[in-house]
């Protein structure tokens, strides 16, 4: 169960965020409304939401998930693989220190890189995507930190997507939303698969929070598949964040 969530308001500079999409620039006012709706949905899950102010120096800084990995035993401060995002961690460290003692905060050191979007938590085991943003050195550092606290991790090479959780979401109870390159990956054979329909791949990025599942708006087959398993679904529109390669999980740190 989660008790806390950290989010950060989008800055006006988000319209110039990193993107591989061809969907146009985000509408900032709509993005702000969607962010407010996202916070309300999280609050419905019974968590306390810490809302950080926007930082105009970093267009992608609303995607706080990439700056840290928060486990039940320790926090990890990442080293983002995108050069324009490396400065984001400095302002996150004092925030994380509100919730974790300094001796329980670990750090990814260069040349290691790691972004939270490449980390999928399944209990005390963590899957780590090896991507354009997270390298093997960063993953190895994270695994050593996990083992220090009696936890474990394993690497999953990526081939076509940005982050691991772009195509996977663990929604507890052994249920895994899965799409694209992961469909035939034996690494995930032990899970009950909810295969995301063609054309709804963006819907693979959902988040489980205390028994409820937040699902992006506009992916009805994905929503129905999750509801069919008995989950209460909260639909949140993230259209403006999709334009800069962001999804539901990217916008928060949940712990």
């Amino acid at each position: 169960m989660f008790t806390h969530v950290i989010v950060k308001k989008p800055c006006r500079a988000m319209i110039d965020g990193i993107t591989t999409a061809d969907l146009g620039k985000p509408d900032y006012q709509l993005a702000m409304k969607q962010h407010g709706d996202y916070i309300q949905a999280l609050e419905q899950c019974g968590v306390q939401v810490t809302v950080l102010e926007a930082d105009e120096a970093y267009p992608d800084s609303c995607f706080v998930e990439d700056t840290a990995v928060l486990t039940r035993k320790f926090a990890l401060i990442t080293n983002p693989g995108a050069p324009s995002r490396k400065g984001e961690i400095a302002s996150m460290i004092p925030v994380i220190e509100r919730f974790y003692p300094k001796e329980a905060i670990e750090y990814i050191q260069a040349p290691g890189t790691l972004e939270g979007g490449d980390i999928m938590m399944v209990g005390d085991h963590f899957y780590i995507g090896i991507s354009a943003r997270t390298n093997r050195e960063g993953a190895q550092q994270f695994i050593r930190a996990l083992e220090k606290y009696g936890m474990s991790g394993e690497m999953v090479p990526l081939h076509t997507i940005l982050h691991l959780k772009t195509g996977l979401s663990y929604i507890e109870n052994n249920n895994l939303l899965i799409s694209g390159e992961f469909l035939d990956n034996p690494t995930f054979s032990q899970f009950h698969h909810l295969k995301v329909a063609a054309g709804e791949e963006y819907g693979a990025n959902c988040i489980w929070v205390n028994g409820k599942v937040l699902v992006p708006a506009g992916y009805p087959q994905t929503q129905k598949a999750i509801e069919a398993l008995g989950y209460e679904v909260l639909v949140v529109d993230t259209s403006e964040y999709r334009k800069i390669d962001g999804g539901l999980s990217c916008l928060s740190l949940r712990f």
Side-chain angles (χ1 to χ4, degrees):
M1 299 290 284
F2 297 124
T3 56
H4 294 279
V5 172
I6 298 170
V7 302
K8 191 166 195 169
K9 295 177 182 177
C11 62
R12 293 183 179 277
M14 72 171 290
I15 63 171
D16 296 316
I18 301 168
T19 185
T20 59
D22 187 20
L23 299 170
K25 287 186 178 291
D27 178 319
Y28 175 70
Q29 294 301 326
L30 180 54
M32 282 293 292
K33 179 187 181 302
Q34 291 177 350
H35 199 258
D37 293 342
Y38 180 72
I39 293 170
Q40 288 183 1
L42 288 166
E43 289 174 339
Q44 289 181 51
C45 299
V47 294
Q48 180 178 334
V49 182
T50 298
V51 183
L52 308 178
E53 291 302 316
D55 186 345
E56 293 295 338
Y58 297 101
D60 297 285
S61 56
C62 59
F63 299 133
V64 290
E65 181 180 57
D66 290 322
T67 63
V69 179
L70 305 182
T71 81
R72 68 184 184 88
K73 294 184 177 180
F74 74 100
L76 179 89
I77 303 298
T78 70
N79 181 26
S84 64
R85 301 197 62 190
K86 290 186 183 296
E88 293 178 28
I89 62 173
S91 63
M92 287 301 299
I93 293 171
V95 177
I96 301 305
E97 288 176 345
R98 298 182 203 170
F99 300 98
Y100 289 82
K102 289 185 179 182
E103 61 270 21
I105 301 177
E106 307 287 336
Y107 294 82
I108 297 295
Q109 304 289 348
T113 64
L114 187 141
E115 294 189 1
D118 278 318
I119 309 301
M120 185 175 75
M121 177 179 70
V122 179
D124 284 345
H125 186 71
F126 292 75
Y127 295 90
I128 308 160
I130 304 303
S131 68
R133 303 287 185 84
T134 296
N135 63 22
R136 289 187 174 273
E137 171 62 27
Q140 288 167 351
Q141 289 182 31
F142 181 38
I143 290 171
R144 288 196 294 269
L146 288 166
E147 292 174 345
K148 175 180 173 182
Y149 293 89
M151 306 163 97
S152 59
E154 66 180 286
M155 301 183 203
V156 181
L158 307 188
H159 304 290
T160 63
I161 60 174
L162 176 64
H163 282 141
L164 181 73
K165 291 202 295 273
T166 303
L168 288 174
S169 293
Y170 184 63
I171 56 173
E172 301 297 320
N173 304 317
N174 203 49
N175 293 316
L176 183 71
L177 280 164
I178 188 166
S179 67
E181 66 182 79
F182 300 118
L183 288 169
D184 298 316
N185 189 325
T187 301
F188 305 106
S189 61
Q190 74 271 33
F191 296 103
H192 173 247
H193 288 185
L194 281 78
K195 295 182 180 180
V196 176
E200 291 202 6
E201 287 83 2
Y202 181 79
N205 183 253
C206 296
I207 52 176
W208 177 96
V209 184
N210 300 342
K212 298 179 174 62
V213 180
L214 275 65
V215 177
Y219 305 92
Q221 293 183 69
T222 303
Q223 179 182 340
K224 288 178 182 177
I226 296 169
E227 289 173 335
L229 291 176
Y231 293 101
E232 179 181 346
V233 164
L234 301 175
V235 178
V236 182
D237 192 354
T238 52
S239 64
E240 302 315 291
Y241 299 94
R242 185 183 181 189
K243 294 174 181 177
I244 49 173
D245 293 345
L248 280 169
S249 73
C250 309
L251 289 164
S252 63
L253 288 163
R254 304 160 301 279
F255 59 107

